[in-house]
Each structure stands twice: as structure tokens, then as C-alpha cells.
């Protein structure tokens, strides 16, 4: 059976769930496709959640559970699915999933987020589960009183290093930058520098992870002089940023050089009806609050899009008789005058339908037909533009109208 | 499903004949919890030839480490008491787990 929605949101992180709250509350039939049993995305695996406004003390999982309940309260549906493709089919978008299901929707919000980046050094894959980790909350327990190295120096790397010091004997952070420079926020830097269990190796990168059955040492390269040093370590925690999950979007929407989705400030991609929010898009700050903000924006943009698009389809595209579309604006005197002239003609009696498009309120359609100057009039027949006139003079209008009536 | 701990591990796994799959997990490992229902289903499907067990590492951390398990989730396959495969990592999914179980199933 075909499953039809107003908007389908791909990915149930904070961005997707915020979009769902706004969309479902706006009475859109809303579905979230999330591949995990529990929604929340990356925020679900972050314990410390200190900076989400209004929540002085909460955890990632708790906050995400609140988001989910909030979305469900307004009627959003959740399904456990992994999306493999989106195919635009005219106004509709067809979404296919790994389980073989097909969904039909008028709009799509992509909120697939990002996943931890793999370093790609020798030994990294081989020692997974035997000393190489990407999740401190999962694995810290194993390293009680042992020595670990952390690769990376952003917020996640420093936060997780501080967390690890509650368990381990020593954390050595390998930093690619010059001495004293970290990408993490100042407040985290201060905490790390004053923590007795944390040491730093500057201007260096991880070259290789070594061991027998388990990791026992790492090879570190100084990028200034190329010198290699061996450091003994029982574990390696990798926090070197994230990569966007956009593989299924390649060739469909415009991506940046690093494969993030490019959007405008309305969260629109270059494909009408497809939006992107949260970590997956090109943006300055990737946090729960900015993802939530994106979600709200996208949901409202979708609402407007559907309003305009459905009006256009119902009144112009799906109409049997010729339709005369006037692009106008209440602040443009010429367009008001032209409207008056056209209304007086009582075109409806002559088998021609007249539709007015306010170019300020309905930018979507105005842009689609590249209306740069108003007033402009286009005649459509069976979805096709057959005639156009822009900023007509009076004799031109008369000529044009004479043509219309005989159409 | 068989629940392992430090008292029965030796007898149920190391000294046991046949193929045994052990799911090393913990409450604080989100991915472990995510995979658990899939593992349960796989265990039911392939249970006629393979034995499936799980071990909560809480209280059995040293035991896990003695099996070279230093990260979760970890699924370790034992054949006649000998470790022969270890699946782990952030990107481990039910599909990969089932694929490996199937390989062992066909050889069992």
C-alpha cells in the first residue's frame, strides 16, 4: 500500500525532531524515518549537555527523549527505516528504504547528520574493540588505571578526555597544532590544562596503532621535523570530527566540497521541496540548539512551499481552460492599474480563467517563471506557457488582450 | 538466551564444543542496546546449530579483557573454545552481524 505524507523527515536527531514538532503542529501529515530504534542522533550518545538553554542540568538522552515525546504529542509518526534514495517525480518525491518500502511525500527534510570520522591509519581497523574506540561513554570502563591517547583537539575530543580522566591513569592528547593551541572552547581548554591526568603532545599526528592481541603502543609523528616517537598506550580514542551522511543524496542536491548539503537561510536545497537541517548542512555552528533552529525554519518553509505549490497546481496546472496569470504586487501602481483593466474584461465569461500571483508573497512561483519585473502576464494552456507580456504599454495590453480572448 | 558471568564462562564457552557467539554489552553502550533486539532475533533463527550468549561487562570487566575485548559492542565467535572472530566498531550493524553468523552457521 502506498504511504502518502505532506512531509517526510529523514533522520530523528534534534534538527529532524524540531522540524517534526513544527510541521505536525502546523497540521502537516508528518513522518520521521529514523534508522535507530531510539531517536536522538549524535546527541543521544553525549552525556554532558550543559548548554541547551532552559535546561541547566540534563543529559543528551534525556533531552532527546523530550524532543521525541514533544513531536509525538503533535501527531508526528516515527518509523524505523534506512533511506536509500529520494526520487523527485513532478511535484511528488518518492522515498525508497532499505527494507523495500516506498513512501510518497510532497516535501522532504534531510536531517541525517554526521558520523565520527575514521582516521584511516594503520591498525585502526584491526584493533577495533581491542583498544581503538570512538565512544568514551561506551568504553571508558575498560581503561580503569590504564594509559590512553586521545586523537583530536575540538570540543568533543577535550570533553571526552576530561570524562576519561575519571577512569584512566593518564590521557595523552595528540594535537596537530602548535603548542598551546586547541580548537575546543576556552572553558574546556581551561579544564583540560588544569587537569593533572591530561598531557599533551603538540604538533603531532598519529601514524600507526600497534600491539599484539590488544593495543600496547602508538607511533606518533611530529609534523614539524618528521620525527617518529613510540608511546605506550592501552587504548586509542579517536575524535577527529565528523563526516556528513549524504551518500544517498549525491547527484540529487548540491553538496559542498566536503559533501555537506548547501542550503539558503530557509533551509532550501537547490531542489524545490527538498530541505536540509542540522549537522548535515553547510553551517557555522553544529550544536543541538542550531539544529533545532534549522528544524523550525525548514518546517515553516515547507508549510509556505506547500501552500504556494498547491495553490498553483490547483488553479493553473490542473485547469482545462486557458489561464491568464497576472504577476503583481500591492506596492506597484502599474500592476494595480493593469489588474483593474483585466478585471473589467470579465475574462471568465469568455472561457479564460484569471489568477493573480503576488510576487512578494509567492516568490516560489515568481522565481520559477523568472519574473524580474512587474506587472507581467503569462497565459498557460495545459501546463505550458504560451504567451508572455512584461510591463506592457497601453496599446500592448489591448493587443495582448485581443489575442487572449480569441485564444 | 544464555547469560554469562565469570562463574560460568569457562564451562559454557571455553570448555564447550561447537560454535558459540558471545555478545559483550553494557547499559551505557547505546549501540549495544540498539543491536540487542536484532541479536535476539538472529539467535532464534540460527539457534538450532549455534549457541548464543551474552555477557554484561558490568562486574565482568576483567573477564572481558581476558578475552581481548576492550570496546563495545563486541561480538566474539568461539569454535570449540577458541576465539575465531571478533566484530566491533561504531559502524557495526545487524546486517554485518547476521552475515557473519550465517557464515559460521553454514560451516557448523
Amino acid at each position: 500500500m502506498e504511504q502518502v505524507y505532506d512531509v517526510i523527515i529523514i533522520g530523528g536527531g534534534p534538527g529532524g525532531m524540531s522540524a517534526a514538532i513544527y510541521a505536525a503542529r502546523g497540521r502537516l501529515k508528518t513522518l520521521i524515518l529514523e534508522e535507530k530504534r531510539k531517536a536522538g542522533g549524535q546527541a543521544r550518545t553525549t552525556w554532558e549537555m550543559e548548554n541547551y538553554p532552559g535546561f541547566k542540568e540534563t543529559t543528551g538522552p534525556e533531552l532527546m527523549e523530550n524532543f521525541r515525546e514533544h513531536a509525538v504529542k503533535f501527531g508526528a509518526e516515527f518509523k524505523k527505516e534506512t533511506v536509500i534514495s529520494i526520487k523527485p517525480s513532478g511535484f511528488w518525491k518518492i522515498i525508497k528504504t532499505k527494507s523495500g518500502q516506498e513512501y510518497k511525500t510532497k516535501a522532504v527534510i534531510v536531517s541525517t547528520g554526521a558520523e565520527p570520522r575514521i582516521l584511516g591509519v594503520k591498525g585502526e581497523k584491526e584493533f577495533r574493540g581491542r583498544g581503538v574506540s570512538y565512544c568514551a561513554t561506551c568504553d571508558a570502563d575498560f581503561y580503569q588505571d590504564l594509559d590512553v591517547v586521545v586523537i583530536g583537539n575540538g570540543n568533543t575530543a577535550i570533553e571526552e578526555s576530561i570524562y576519561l580522566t575519571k577512569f584512566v591513569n593518564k590521557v595523552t592528547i595528540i594535537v596537530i597544532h602548535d603548542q598551546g593551541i586547541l580548537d575546543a572552547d576556552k572553558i574546556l581548554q581551561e579544564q583540560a590544562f588544569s587537569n593533572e591526568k591530561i598531557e599533551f603532545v603538540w604538533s603531532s599526528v598519529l601514524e600507526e596503532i600497534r600491539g599484539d592481541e590488544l593495543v600496547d603502543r602508538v607511533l606518533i609523528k611530529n609534523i614539524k621535523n618528521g620525527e617518529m616517537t613510540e608511546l605506550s598506550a592501552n587504548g586509542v580514542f579517536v575524535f577527529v570530527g565528523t563526516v556528513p551522511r549524504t551518500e544517498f543524496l549525491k547527484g540529487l542536491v548540491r553538496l559542498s566540497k566536503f559533501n555537506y548539503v548547501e542550503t539558503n537561510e530557509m533551509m532550501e536545497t537547490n531542489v524545490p521541496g527538498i530541505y536540509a537541517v542540522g549537522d548535515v548542512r553547510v553551517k557555522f555552528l553544529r550544536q543541538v540548539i542550531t539544529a533545532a533552529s534549522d528544524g523550525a525554519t525548514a518546517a515553516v518553509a515547507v508549510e509556505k512551499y506547500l501552500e504556494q505549490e498547491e495553490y498553483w497546481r490547483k488553479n493553473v496546472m490542473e485547469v482545462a481552460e486557458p489561464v491568464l496569470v497576472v504577476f503583481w504586487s500591492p506596492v506597484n501602481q502599474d500592476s494595480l492599474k493593469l489588474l483593474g483593466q483585466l478585471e473589467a474584461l470579465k475574462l471568465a465569461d469568455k472561457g479564460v480563467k484569471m489568477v493573480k500571483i503576488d510576487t512578494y508573497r509567492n516568490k516560489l512561483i515568481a522565481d520559477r517563471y523568472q519574473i524580474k519585473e512587474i506587472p507581467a502576464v503569462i497565459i498557460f494552456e495545459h501546463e505550458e506557457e504560451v504567451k508572455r507580456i512584461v510591463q506592457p504599454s497601453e496599446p500592448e495590453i489591448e493587443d495582448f488582450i485581443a489575442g487572449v480572448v480569441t485564444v | 538466551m544464555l547469560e554469562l558471568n565469570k562463574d560460568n564462562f569457562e564451562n559454557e564457552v571455553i570448555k564447550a564444543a561447537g560454535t558459540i557467539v558471545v555478545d559483550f554489552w553494557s547499559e551505557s553502550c547505546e549501540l549495544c542496546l540498539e543491536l540487542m533486539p536484532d541479536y535476539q532475533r538472529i539467535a532464534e533463527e540460527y539457534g538450532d546449530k549455534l549457541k548464543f550468549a551474552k555477557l554484561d561487562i558490568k562486574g565482568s570487566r576483567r573477564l572481558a579483557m581476558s578475552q581481548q575485548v576492550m570496546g563495545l559492542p563486541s561480538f566474539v565467535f568461539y569454535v570449540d573454545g577458541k576465539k575465531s572472530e571478533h566484530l566491533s566498531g561504531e559502524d557495526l550493524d545487524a546486517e554485518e552481524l547476521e552475515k557473519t553468523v550465517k557464515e559460521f552457521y553454514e560451516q557448523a
Side-chain angles (χ1 to χ4, degrees), chain A residues 35-38 44 80 98 116 128-131 134-135 137 139 141-144 146 213-214 234, chain B residues 28-31 34 37-38 57 61 64-65 68-72 74 83 86 88-91 93 95:
Chain A
E35 62 180 4
K36 294 258 163 62
R37 285 187 175 82
K38 286 190 172 168
R44 244 208 111 75
K80 185 177 175 295
K98 214 162 146 183
R128 278 193 314 193
R130 296 188 288 132
Y134 304 85
C135 175
T137 47
D139 298 336
D141 244 7
F142 287 112
Y143 297 92
Q144 212 105 45
L146 298 177
E213 278 288 325
L214 296 170
N234 305 102
Chain B
S28 64
C29 163
E30 281 289 335
L31 187 51
E34 174 71 25
D38 295 307
I57 68 141
R61 197 170 47 86
M65 289 165 76
Q68 285 85 42
V69 169
M70 287 290 272
L72 299 183
S74 273
K83 239 183 109 172
H86 181 173
S88 185
E90 278 286 290
D91 49 359
D93 57 17
E95 213 174 311

Side-chain angles (χ1 to χ4, degrees), chain A residues 208-225:
Chain A
E208 192 183 328
I209 299 163
R210 293 174 173 174
D212 185 15
E213 278 288 325
L214 296 170
V215 169
D216 57 28
R217 60 205 196 281
V218 293
L219 190 64
I220 288 160
K221 182 183 176 181
N222 183 305
I223 54 168
K224 289 209 153 155
N225 53 24

Side-chain angles (χ1 to χ4, degrees), chain B residues 2 4 8 15 19 30 36 39-40 42 48 53-54 58 62 72 79-80 82 89 92 98 100 104-105 107:
Chain B
L2 177 62
L4 296 170
N8 65 3
K15 289 185 178 161
T19 303
E30 281 289 335
M36 194 71 85
Y39 183 62
Q40 198 77 44
I42 291 169
D48 60 327
K54 58 184 180 183
K58 196 168 174 239
R62 279 184 194 287
L72 299 183
V79 179
D80 297 329
K82 263 195 73 186
L92 180 63
E98 184 163 3
T100 311
F104 277 89
Y105 185 83
Q107 284 165 26

Side-chain angles (χ1 to χ4, degrees), chain A residues 109-364:
Chain A
I109 298 176
V110 175
S111 51
T112 44
E115 58 196 357
R117 183 193 298 278
I118 307 287
L119 264 179
V121 302
K122 210 172 155 201
E124 187 179 10
K125 206 171 169 190
E126 185 189 342
F127 287 108
R128 278 193 314 193
R130 296 188 288 132
V132 175
S133 177
Y134 304 85
C135 175
T137 47
C138 307
D139 298 336
D141 244 7
F142 287 112
Y143 297 92
Q144 212 105 45
D145 304 323
L146 298 177
D147 294 338
V148 300
V149 297
V150 166
I151 318 298
N153 67 98
N155 284 336
T156 307
I158 303 305
E159 257 169 25
E160 300 300 289
S161 296
I162 294 165
Y163 176 80
L164 282 167
T165 58
K166 294 178 195 164
F167 302 84
V168 304
N169 176 54
K170 188 176 80 180
V171 177
T172 305
I173 307 180
I174 314 295
V175 184
I176 195 166
H177 304 307
D178 286 351
Q179 177 139 15
I181 299 173
L182 298 176
D183 291 334
D185 295 341
K186 278 276 174 299
I187 182 165
L188 293 171
Q189 295 194 21
E190 283 164 19
Q191 288 173 28
F193 288 140
S194 64
N195 192 314
E196 283 175 1
K197 283 187 172 180
I198 295 181
E199 287 179 13
F200 292 89
V201 175
W202 303 101
S203 310
S204 298
V205 292
L206 181 71
E207 197 69 13
E208 192 183 328
I209 299 163
R210 293 174 173 174
D212 185 15
E213 278 288 325
L214 296 170
V215 169
D216 57 28
R217 60 205 196 281
V218 293
L219 190 64
I220 288 160
K221 182 183 176 181
N222 183 305
I223 54 168
K224 289 209 153 155
N225 53 24
E227 217 171 87
M228 298 279 198
T229 324
E230 243 189 13
L231 192 70
S232 75
N234 305 102
V236 181
F237 285 81
V238 183
F239 304 109
V240 288
T242 54
V243 284
R245 308 186 57 184
T246 51
E247 199 54 46
F248 71 111
L249 295 173
K250 280 190 179 153
L252 176 64
V253 302
R254 192 180 301 133
L255 303 178
S256 73
K257 198 166 79 182
F258 300 107
N259 293 323
Y260 289 91
V261 182
E262 289 186 354
T263 66
N264 60 15
E265 64 166 352
M266 284 167 75
M267 310 300 142
E268 295 170 323
T269 68
N270 62 316
V271 180
I274 302 183
Y275 299 73
V277 302
D279 283 9
V280 77
R281 74 180 191 95
V282 177
K283 66 193 293 191
F284 170 66
L285 181 65
R286 292 192 171 84
Q287 290 278 297
V288 172
I289 187 168
T290 64
S293 158
D294 287 359
T297 303
V300 174
V302 164
E303 247 183 280
K304 295 271 172 278
Y305 164 78
L306 292 180
E307 240 172 64
Q308 297 172 4
E309 192 68 54
E310 286 181 327
Y311 176 81
W312 181 253
R313 283 163 54 80
K314 196 164 154 256
N315 290 286
V316 180
M317 291 289 126
E318 291 165 3
V319 172
E321 70 257 40
V323 186
L324 185 138
V325 181
V326 189
F327 293 91
W328 73 293
S329 158
V331 297
N332 179 295
Q333 286 305 320
D334 289 344
S335 72
L336 291 176
K337 196 175 148 204
L338 177 64
L339 267 183
Q341 284 175 307
L342 291 168
E343 306 260 18
L345 281 172
K346 298 201 172 19
L347 289 164
D349 298 345
K350 294 160 186 157
V352 178
K353 182 176 173 170
M354 187 167 118
V355 169
K356 298 181 281 185
I357 298 286
D358 180 336
T359 53
Y360 180 73
R361 295 173 60 99
N362 196 336
K363 226 174 148 303
L364 176 78

